[in-house]
């Protein structure tokens, strides 16, 4: 679990790269719907805010789990002016 400025940076990455912005193209890459992307992004937020680590069995498809893992492991930073 991260704290302080690290959690803020992690949440910015999750939102920037997840639903709605999808800067990594995960929706297309993993063949997901907006609904899946929304849930994956929310689960990634829970990972950082509450320490919840979801398992593959928690997702409807293996692709959704892979997108979740990509979301929490992502290092693609949003631009500074996109706070």
């Amino acid at each position: 679990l991260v704290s302080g400025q690290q959690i803020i940076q992690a949440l910015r990455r999750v939102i920037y790269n997840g639903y709605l912005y999808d800067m990594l193209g995960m929706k297309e890459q993993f063949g997901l719907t907006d609904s899946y992307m929304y849930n994956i992004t929310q689960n990634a937020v829970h990972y950082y805010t509450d320490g919840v680590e979801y398992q593959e069995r928690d997702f409807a498809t293996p692709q959704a789990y892979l997108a979740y893992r990509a979301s929490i492991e992502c290092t693609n930073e949003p631009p500074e002016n996109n706070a």
Side-chain angles (χ1 to χ4, degrees), residues 26-27 29-33 35-37 39-40 43 54-69:
M26 288 190 293
K27 180 179 173 184
Q29 178 184 352
F30 295 106
L32 302 170
T33 64
S35 180
Y36 276 123
M37 287 299 295
N39 288 323
I40 289 162
N43 290 343
Y54 294 94
Q55 304 300 315
E56 186 171 358
R57 69 179 177 269
D58 300 317
F59 293 87
T61 68
Q63 294 81 3
Y65 176 71
L66 292 173
Y68 161 75
R69 295 300 311 173

Side-chain angles (χ1 to χ4, degrees), residues 5-54:
Q5 189 62 29
Q6 289 178 321
I7 196 167
I8 293 168
Q9 290 172 327
L11 291 172
R12 288 182 74 226
R13 273 194 312 272
V14 165
I15 293 166
Y16 180 69
N17 294 298
Y19 180 82
L20 179 66
Y21 300 105
D22 192 21
M23 297 308 289
L24 296 177
M26 288 190 293
K27 180 179 173 184
E28 183 177 329
Q29 178 184 352
F30 295 106
L32 302 170
T33 64
D34 283 343
S35 180
Y36 276 123
M37 287 299 295
Y38 175 85
N39 288 323
I40 289 162
T41 302
Q42 190 62 52
N43 290 343
V45 167
H46 291 163
Y47 174 83
Y48 286 108
T49 60
D50 303 323
V52 176
E53 186 160 357
Y54 294 94

